[in-house]
PDB file of all heavy atoms in Angstrom:
ATOM      1  N   PRO I 396      -5.297 -15.492 -23.903  1.00  0.00           N
ATOM      2  CA  PRO I 396      -4.942 -15.291 -22.489  1.00  0.00           C
ATOM      3  C   PRO I 396      -3.642 -14.520 -22.264  1.00  0.00           C
ATOM      4  O   PRO I 396      -3.303 -14.189 -21.131  1.00  0.00           O
ATOM      5  CB  PRO I 396      -4.791 -16.723 -21.988  1.00  0.00           C
ATOM      6  CG  PRO I 396      -4.275 -17.461 -23.188  1.00  0.00           C
ATOM      7  CD  PRO I 396      -4.946 -16.848 -24.382  1.00  0.00           C
ATOM      8  N   ASP I 397      -2.878 -14.221 -23.335  1.00  0.00           N
ATOM      9  CA  ASP I 397      -1.503 -13.777 -23.147  1.00  0.00           C
ATOM     10  C   ASP I 397      -1.364 -12.412 -22.493  1.00  0.00           C
ATOM     11  O   ASP I 397      -0.466 -12.197 -21.663  1.00  0.00           O
ATOM     12  CB  ASP I 397      -0.747 -13.802 -24.478  1.00  0.00           C
ATOM     13  CG  ASP I 397      -1.468 -13.021 -25.564  1.00  0.00           C
ATOM     14  OD1 ASP I 397      -2.664 -13.253 -25.758  1.00  0.00           O
ATOM     15  OD2 ASP I 397      -0.829 -12.185 -26.225  1.00  0.00           O
ATOM     16  N   SER I 398      -2.226 -11.420 -22.843  1.00  0.00           N
ATOM     17  CA  SER I 398      -2.071 -10.084 -22.256  1.00  0.00           C
ATOM     18  C   SER I 398      -2.258 -10.112 -20.742  1.00  0.00           C
ATOM     19  O   SER I 398      -1.527  -9.440 -19.997  1.00  0.00           O
ATOM     20  CB  SER I 398      -3.069  -9.108 -22.886  1.00  0.00           C
ATOM     21  OG  SER I 398      -2.709  -8.785 -24.198  1.00  0.00           O
ATOM     22  N   LEU I 399      -3.232 -10.887 -20.279  1.00  0.00           N
ATOM     23  CA  LEU I 399      -3.461 -10.969 -18.836  1.00  0.00           C
ATOM     24  C   LEU I 399      -2.321 -11.717 -18.163  1.00  0.00           C
ATOM     25  O   LEU I 399      -1.907 -11.364 -17.046  1.00  0.00           O
ATOM     26  CB  LEU I 399      -4.800 -11.637 -18.546  1.00  0.00           C
ATOM     27  CG  LEU I 399      -5.225 -11.671 -17.080  1.00  0.00           C
ATOM     28  CD1 LEU I 399      -5.337 -10.249 -16.506  1.00  0.00           C
ATOM     29  CD2 LEU I 399      -6.558 -12.402 -16.919  1.00  0.00           C
ATOM     30  N   GLU I 400      -1.779 -12.748 -18.818  1.00  0.00           N
ATOM     31  CA  GLU I 400      -0.646 -13.472 -18.250  1.00  0.00           C
ATOM     32  C   GLU I 400       0.568 -12.549 -18.104  1.00  0.00           C
ATOM     33  O   GLU I 400       1.272 -12.599 -17.087  1.00  0.00           O
ATOM     34  CB  GLU I 400      -0.313 -14.668 -19.137  1.00  0.00           C
ATOM     35  CG  GLU I 400      -1.364 -15.772 -19.068  1.00  0.00           C
ATOM     36  CD  GLU I 400      -1.130 -16.865 -20.095  1.00  0.00           C
ATOM     37  OE1 GLU I 400      -0.303 -16.652 -21.019  1.00  0.00           O
ATOM     38  OE2 GLU I 400      -1.779 -17.922 -19.986  1.00  0.00           O
ATOM     39  N   LEU I 401       0.794 -11.709 -19.100  1.00  0.00           N
ATOM     40  CA  LEU I 401       1.903 -10.756 -19.009  1.00  0.00           C
ATOM     41  C   LEU I 401       1.694  -9.782 -17.855  1.00  0.00           C
ATOM     42  O   LEU I 401       2.649  -9.433 -17.136  1.00  0.00           O
ATOM     43  CB  LEU I 401       2.048  -9.995 -20.323  1.00  0.00           C
ATOM     44  CG  LEU I 401       2.615 -10.776 -21.505  1.00  0.00           C
ATOM     45  CD1 LEU I 401       2.501  -9.964 -22.782  1.00  0.00           C
ATOM     46  CD2 LEU I 401       4.062 -11.172 -21.245  1.00  0.00           C
ATOM     47  N   PHE I 402       0.455  -9.333 -17.665  1.00  0.00           N
ATOM     48  CA  PHE I 402       0.171  -8.415 -16.558  1.00  0.00           C
ATOM     49  C   PHE I 402       0.457  -9.095 -15.218  1.00  0.00           C
ATOM     50  O   PHE I 402       1.120  -8.520 -14.338  1.00  0.00           O
ATOM     51  CB  PHE I 402      -1.287  -7.953 -16.611  1.00  0.00           C
ATOM     52  CG  PHE I 402      -1.631  -6.929 -15.561  1.00  0.00           C
ATOM     53  CD1 PHE I 402      -1.499  -5.580 -15.811  1.00  0.00           C
ATOM     54  CD2 PHE I 402      -2.065  -7.328 -14.304  1.00  0.00           C
ATOM     55  CE1 PHE I 402      -1.790  -4.635 -14.831  1.00  0.00           C
ATOM     56  CE2 PHE I 402      -2.353  -6.402 -13.313  1.00  0.00           C
ATOM     57  CZ  PHE I 402      -2.224  -5.048 -13.581  1.00  0.00           C
ATOM     58  N   VAL I 403      -0.041 -10.311 -15.061  1.00  0.00           N
ATOM     59  CA  VAL I 403       0.124 -11.023 -13.792  1.00  0.00           C
ATOM     60  C   VAL I 403       1.592 -11.349 -13.528  1.00  0.00           C
ATOM     61  O   VAL I 403       2.078 -11.222 -12.394  1.00  0.00           O
ATOM     62  CB  VAL I 403      -0.743 -12.299 -13.793  1.00  0.00           C
ATOM     63  CG1 VAL I 403      -0.350 -13.245 -12.658  1.00  0.00           C
ATOM     64  CG2 VAL I 403      -2.219 -11.919 -13.673  1.00  0.00           C
ATOM     65  N   ASP I 404       2.308 -11.753 -14.565  1.00  0.00           N
ATOM     66  CA  ASP I 404       3.694 -12.184 -14.373  1.00  0.00           C
ATOM     67  C   ASP I 404       4.684 -11.030 -14.259  1.00  0.00           C
ATOM     68  O   ASP I 404       5.749 -11.194 -13.658  1.00  0.00           O
ATOM     69  CB  ASP I 404       4.115 -13.099 -15.530  1.00  0.00           C
ATOM     70  CG  ASP I 404       3.396 -14.439 -15.503  1.00  0.00           C
ATOM     71  OD1 ASP I 404       2.959 -14.843 -14.410  1.00  0.00           O
ATOM     72  OD2 ASP I 404       3.256 -15.067 -16.568  1.00  0.00           O
ATOM     73  N   HIS I 405       4.342  -9.856 -14.827  1.00  0.00           N
ATOM     74  CA  HIS I 405       5.335  -8.790 -14.888  1.00  0.00           C
ATOM     75  C   HIS I 405       4.897  -7.470 -14.242  1.00  0.00           C
ATOM     76  O   HIS I 405       5.739  -6.758 -13.706  1.00  0.00           O
ATOM     77  CB  HIS I 405       5.730  -8.545 -16.346  1.00  0.00           C
ATOM     78  CG  HIS I 405       6.360  -9.738 -16.994  1.00  0.00           C
ATOM     79  ND1 HIS I 405       7.651 -10.137 -16.735  1.00  0.00           N
ATOM     80  CD2 HIS I 405       5.862 -10.657 -17.876  1.00  0.00           C
ATOM     81  CE1 HIS I 405       7.935 -11.234 -17.423  1.00  0.00           C
ATOM     82  NE2 HIS I 405       6.870 -11.572 -18.124  1.00  0.00           N
ATOM     83  N   VAL I 406       3.604  -7.134 -14.309  1.00  0.00           N
ATOM     84  CA  VAL I 406       3.145  -5.882 -13.693  1.00  0.00           C
ATOM     85  C   VAL I 406       2.816  -6.101 -12.220  1.00  0.00           C
ATOM     86  O   VAL I 406       3.187  -5.279 -11.364  1.00  0.00           O
ATOM     87  CB  VAL I 406       1.929  -5.306 -14.443  1.00  0.00           C
ATOM     88  CG1 VAL I 406       1.473  -3.994 -13.793  1.00  0.00           C
ATOM     89  CG2 VAL I 406       2.259  -5.074 -15.916  1.00  0.00           C
ATOM     90  N   VAL I 407       2.154  -7.193 -11.909  1.00  0.00           N
ATOM     91  CA  VAL I 407       1.784  -7.464 -10.516  1.00  0.00           C
ATOM     92  C   VAL I 407       3.001  -7.468  -9.588  1.00  0.00           C
ATOM     93  O   VAL I 407       2.969  -6.847  -8.513  1.00  0.00           O
ATOM     94  CB  VAL I 407       0.981  -8.780 -10.406  1.00  0.00           C
ATOM     95  CG1 VAL I 407       0.945  -9.292  -8.964  1.00  0.00           C
ATOM     96  CG2 VAL I 407      -0.442  -8.567 -10.922  1.00  0.00           C
ATOM     97  N   PRO I 408       4.121  -8.132  -9.933  1.00  0.00           N
ATOM     98  CA  PRO I 408       5.278  -8.078  -9.021  1.00  0.00           C
ATOM     99  C   PRO I 408       5.797  -6.663  -8.775  1.00  0.00           C
ATOM    100  O   PRO I 408       6.248  -6.354  -7.658  1.00  0.00           O
ATOM    101  CB  PRO I 408       6.327  -8.931  -9.752  1.00  0.00           C
ATOM    102  CG  PRO I 408       5.531  -9.873 -10.596  1.00  0.00           C
ATOM    103  CD  PRO I 408       4.352  -9.068 -11.057  1.00  0.00           C
ATOM    104  N   ILE I 409       5.726  -5.808  -9.793  1.00  0.00           N
ATOM    105  CA  ILE I 409       6.165  -4.419  -9.601  1.00  0.00           C
ATOM    106  C   ILE I 409       5.246  -3.717  -8.599  1.00  0.00           C
ATOM    107  O   ILE I 409       5.708  -3.024  -7.682  1.00  0.00           O
ATOM    108  CB  ILE I 409       6.172  -3.667 -10.946  1.00  0.00           C
ATOM    109  CG1 ILE I 409       7.187  -4.285 -11.899  1.00  0.00           C
ATOM    110  CG2 ILE I 409       6.480  -2.184 -10.733  1.00  0.00           C
ATOM    111  CD1 ILE I 409       7.122  -3.717 -13.312  1.00  0.00           C
ATOM    112  N   LEU I 410       3.940  -3.906  -8.762  1.00  0.00           N
ATOM    113  CA  LEU I 410       2.977  -3.285  -7.848  1.00  0.00           C
ATOM    114  C   LEU I 410       3.150  -3.830  -6.432  1.00  0.00           C
ATOM    115  O   LEU I 410       3.019  -3.086  -5.447  1.00  0.00           O
ATOM    116  CB  LEU I 410       1.563  -3.526  -8.346  1.00  0.00           C
ATOM    117  CG  LEU I 410       1.197  -2.898  -9.702  1.00  0.00           C
ATOM    118  CD1 LEU I 410      -0.201  -3.327 -10.137  1.00  0.00           C
ATOM    119  CD2 LEU I 410       1.281  -1.375  -9.640  1.00  0.00           C
ATOM    120  N   GLN I 411       3.446  -5.117  -6.317  1.00  0.00           N
ATOM    121  CA  GLN I 411       3.680  -5.701  -4.994  1.00  0.00           C
ATOM    122  C   GLN I 411       4.936  -5.115  -4.357  1.00  0.00           C
ATOM    123  O   GLN I 411       4.943  -4.791  -3.164  1.00  0.00           O
ATOM    124  CB  GLN I 411       3.797  -7.224  -5.117  1.00  0.00           C
ATOM    125  CG  GLN I 411       2.478  -7.912  -5.439  1.00  0.00           C
ATOM    126  CD  GLN I 411       2.652  -9.389  -5.744  1.00  0.00           C
ATOM    127  OE1 GLN I 411       3.677  -9.804  -6.285  1.00  0.00           O
ATOM    128  NE2 GLN I 411       1.651 -10.190  -5.401  1.00  0.00           N
ATOM    129  N   ASN I 412       5.997  -4.971  -5.139  1.00  0.00           N
ATOM    130  CA  ASN I 412       7.246  -4.418  -4.597  1.00  0.00           C
ATOM    131  C   ASN I 412       7.073  -2.972  -4.142  1.00  0.00           C
ATOM    132  O   ASN I 412       7.786  -2.510  -3.240  1.00  0.00           O
ATOM    133  CB  ASN I 412       8.348  -4.501  -5.652  1.00  0.00           C
ATOM    134  CG  ASN I 412       8.826  -5.918  -5.886  1.00  0.00           C
ATOM    135  OD1 ASN I 412       8.679  -6.784  -5.023  1.00  0.00           O
ATOM    136  ND2 ASN I 412       9.397  -6.174  -7.060  1.00  0.00           N
ATOM    137  N   ARG I 413       6.122  -2.266  -4.760  1.00  0.00           N
ATOM    138  CA  ARG I 413       5.856  -0.879  -4.373  1.00  0.00           C
ATOM    139  C   ARG I 413       4.838  -0.781  -3.235  1.00  0.00           C
ATOM    140  O   ARG I 413       4.458   0.313  -2.815  1.00  0.00           O
ATOM    141  CB  ARG I 413       5.345  -0.093  -5.578  1.00  0.00           C
ATOM    142  CG  ARG I 413       6.354   0.023  -6.710  1.00  0.00           C
ATOM    143  CD  ARG I 413       5.790   0.799  -7.889  1.00  0.00           C
ATOM    144  NE  ARG I 413       6.724   0.829  -9.017  1.00  0.00           N
ATOM    145  CZ  ARG I 413       6.503   1.463 -10.163  1.00  0.00           C
ATOM    146  NH1 ARG I 413       5.366   2.150 -10.333  1.00  0.00           N
ATOM    147  NH2 ARG I 413       7.390   1.429 -11.135  1.00  0.00           N
ATOM    148  N   GLY I 414       4.396  -1.928  -2.745  1.00  0.00           N
ATOM    149  CA  GLY I 414       3.433  -1.937  -1.651  1.00  0.00           C
ATOM    150  C   GLY I 414       2.029  -1.567  -2.067  1.00  0.00           C
ATOM    151  O   GLY I 414       1.194  -1.188  -1.233  1.00  0.00           O
ATOM    152  N   LEU I 415       1.706  -1.700  -3.363  1.00  0.00           N
ATOM    153  CA  LEU I 415       0.397  -1.296  -3.875  1.00  0.00           C
ATOM    154  C   LEU I 415      -0.577  -2.451  -4.020  1.00  0.00           C
ATOM    155  O   LEU I 415      -1.786  -2.235  -4.097  1.00  0.00           O
ATOM    156  CB  LEU I 415       0.567  -0.623  -5.242  1.00  0.00           C
ATOM    157  CG  LEU I 415       1.211   0.760  -5.232  1.00  0.00           C
ATOM    158  CD1 LEU I 415       1.661   1.152  -6.633  1.00  0.00           C
ATOM    159  CD2 LEU I 415       0.232   1.789  -4.694  1.00  0.00           C
ATOM    160  N   HIS I 416      -0.065  -3.679  -4.098  1.00  0.00           N
ATOM    161  CA  HIS I 416      -0.928  -4.826  -4.361  1.00  0.00           C
ATOM    162  C   HIS I 416      -0.634  -5.930  -3.357  1.00  0.00           C
ATOM    163  O   HIS I 416       0.525  -6.116  -2.937  1.00  0.00           O
ATOM    164  CB  HIS I 416      -0.699  -5.325  -5.789  1.00  0.00           C
ATOM    165  CG  HIS I 416      -1.651  -6.397  -6.239  1.00  0.00           C
ATOM    166  ND1 HIS I 416      -3.022  -6.246  -6.207  1.00  0.00           N
ATOM    167  CD2 HIS I 416      -1.431  -7.639  -6.731  1.00  0.00           C
ATOM    168  CE1 HIS I 416      -3.599  -7.343  -6.677  1.00  0.00           C
ATOM    169  NE2 HIS I 416      -2.655  -8.201  -6.993  1.00  0.00           N
ATOM    170  N   ARG I 417      -1.666  -6.647  -2.985  1.00  0.00           N
ATOM    171  CA  ARG I 417      -1.539  -7.702  -1.985  1.00  0.00           C
ATOM    172  C   ARG I 417      -0.556  -8.787  -2.423  1.00  0.00           C
ATOM    173  O   ARG I 417      -0.338  -9.016  -3.632  1.00  0.00           O
ATOM    174  CB  ARG I 417      -2.912  -8.332  -1.703  1.00  0.00           C
ATOM    175  CG  ARG I 417      -3.529  -9.034  -2.909  1.00  0.00           C
ATOM    176  CD  ARG I 417      -4.768  -9.857  -2.532  1.00  0.00           C
ATOM    177  NE  ARG I 417      -5.858  -9.066  -2.008  1.00  0.00           N
ATOM    178  CZ  ARG I 417      -6.816  -8.500  -2.745  1.00  0.00           C
ATOM    179  NH1 ARG I 417      -6.791  -8.623  -4.073  1.00  0.00           N
ATOM    180  NH2 ARG I 417      -7.785  -7.813  -2.185  1.00  0.00           N
ATOM    181  N   THR I 418      -0.035  -9.505  -1.461  1.00  0.00           N
ATOM    182  CA  THR I 418       0.820 -10.658  -1.733  1.00  0.00           C
ATOM    183  C   THR I 418       0.102 -11.969  -1.417  1.00  0.00           C
ATOM    184  O   THR I 418       0.623 -13.052  -1.703  1.00  0.00           O
ATOM    185  CB  THR I 418       2.117 -10.585  -0.918  1.00  0.00           C
ATOM    186  OG1 THR I 418       1.802 -10.467   0.478  1.00  0.00           O
ATOM    187  CG2 THR I 418       2.950  -9.381  -1.349  1.00  0.00           C
ATOM    188  N   GLU I 419      -1.077 -11.861  -0.827  1.00  0.00           N
ATOM    189  CA  GLU I 419      -1.937 -13.023  -0.601  1.00  0.00           C
ATOM    190  C   GLU I 419      -3.339 -12.530  -0.288  1.00  0.00           C
ATOM    191  O   GLU I 419      -3.533 -11.381   0.126  1.00  0.00           O
ATOM    192  CB  GLU I 419      -1.423 -13.892   0.549  1.00  0.00           C
ATOM    193  CG  GLU I 419      -1.385 -13.185   1.897  1.00  0.00           C
ATOM    194  CD  GLU I 419      -0.852 -14.068   3.007  1.00  0.00           C
ATOM    195  OE1 GLU I 419      -0.551 -15.245   2.721  1.00  0.00           O
ATOM    196  OE2 GLU I 419      -0.757 -13.591   4.145  1.00  0.00           O
ATOM    197  N   TYR I 420      -4.323 -13.392  -0.518  1.00  0.00           N
ATOM    198  CA  TYR I 420      -5.682 -13.063  -0.124  1.00  0.00           C
ATOM    199  C   TYR I 420      -5.794 -13.192   1.390  1.00  0.00           C
ATOM    200  O   TYR I 420      -5.369 -14.189   1.969  1.00  0.00           O
ATOM    201  CB  TYR I 420      -6.690 -14.008  -0.778  1.00  0.00           C
ATOM    202  CG  TYR I 420      -6.894 -13.796  -2.261  1.00  0.00           C
ATOM    203  CD1 TYR I 420      -6.559 -14.806  -3.173  1.00  0.00           C
ATOM    204  CD2 TYR I 420      -7.458 -12.624  -2.755  1.00  0.00           C
ATOM    205  CE1 TYR I 420      -6.767 -14.641  -4.542  1.00  0.00           C
ATOM    206  CE2 TYR I 420      -7.662 -12.449  -4.118  1.00  0.00           C
ATOM    207  CZ  TYR I 420      -7.317 -13.460  -4.998  1.00  0.00           C
ATOM    208  OH  TYR I 420      -7.521 -13.282  -6.348  1.00  0.00           O
TER     209      TYR I 420
END
Side-chain angles (χ1 to χ4, degrees):
D397 54 310
S398 288
L399 185 59
E400 289 172 347
L401 288 171
F402 184 90
V403 166
D404 291 336
H405 298 285
V406 180
V407 163
I409 296 172
L410 296 175
Q411 289 172 328
N412 288 337
R413 296 179 184 182
L415 289 165
H416 187 55
R417 63 170 63 89
T418 56
E419 62 181 358
Y420 288 117

